[in-house]
Amino acid sequence: MEERKGQPDRESAEVLRLKTRLWIVDENDRIIMGEGRREILETIDRTGSINQTAKLMKMSYKAVWGKIKATEKTLGRRIVHTDRKEGTHLTDAGRELLEKYRVLKEQCIAEENRMFSKLFKGQAPS
């Protein structure tokens, strides 16, 4: 099939999909929560260690700790509890933030996909 200049062929139009990113930011556009922070919190929850989280994410301990502290400072509450004897774990506030972010992302994706399907006439994102 020949492609007309300036118009995609039918096959390429059928593979269109939507890809977006979601961040929760403060009034100065500093990130409070996004995919990176979600991964940090989930990995801390799984490993019980900031050091192990940093290694798994190929980040420095200081970078992981800095992102945690920046979020805590803006929210005005601790999201990660560290203790030499008890180890490291998410606080109730940390778990709540993580769960709310997951729900928000899920609902945003559903709405974005609905809008995309409507605007692109049934060519739903994959």
Side-chain angles (χ1 to χ4, degrees), residues 5 7 25 33 37-38 42 73 77 98 108 110-111:
K5 209 170 204 174
Q7 293 184 359
V25 298
M33 191 67 176
R37 307 248 169 124
R38 177 199 53 79
E42 287 177 345
K73 182 178 179 183
R77 55 189 175 166
L98 185 56
C108 284
E111 182 61 17

Side-chain angles (χ1 to χ4, degrees), residues 48 81-89:
H81 174 78
T82 57
D83 185 278
R84 290 191 187 270
K85 292 182 181 180
E86 295 176 18
T88 301
H89 61 271

Side-chain angles (χ1 to χ4, degrees), residues 5-65:
K5 209 170 204 174
Q7 293 184 359
D9 65 20
R10 184 166 175 81
E11 283 183 27
S12 65
E14 290 174 359
V15 298
L16 292 178
R17 63 188 184 96
L18 180 64
K19 186 173 183 178
T20 61
R21 301 277 302 202
L22 178 69
W23 292 278
I24 299 172
V25 298
D26 69 8
E27 66 276 2
N28 296 310
D29 277 344
R30 290 182 294 235
I31 296 172
I32 304 309
M33 191 67 176
E35 284 303 295
R37 307 248 169 124
R38 177 199 53 79
E39 187 176 353
I40 287 171
L41 295 181
E42 287 177 345
T43 307
I44 287 171
D45 198 33
R46 190 175 69 249
T47 64
S49 167
I50 294 173
N51 191 38
Q52 191 65 24
T53 295
K55 287 178 183 178
L56 289 169
M57 294 184 68
K58 297 178 176 39
M59 295 173 67
S60 71
Y61 181 96
K62 183 178 180 180
V64 171
W65 186 243

Side-chain angles (χ1 to χ4, degrees), residues 62-74:
K62 183 178 180 180
V64 171
W65 186 243
K67 291 178 186 313
I68 292 166
K69 294 316 271 179
T71 295
E72 289 180 338
K73 182 178 179 183
T74 301

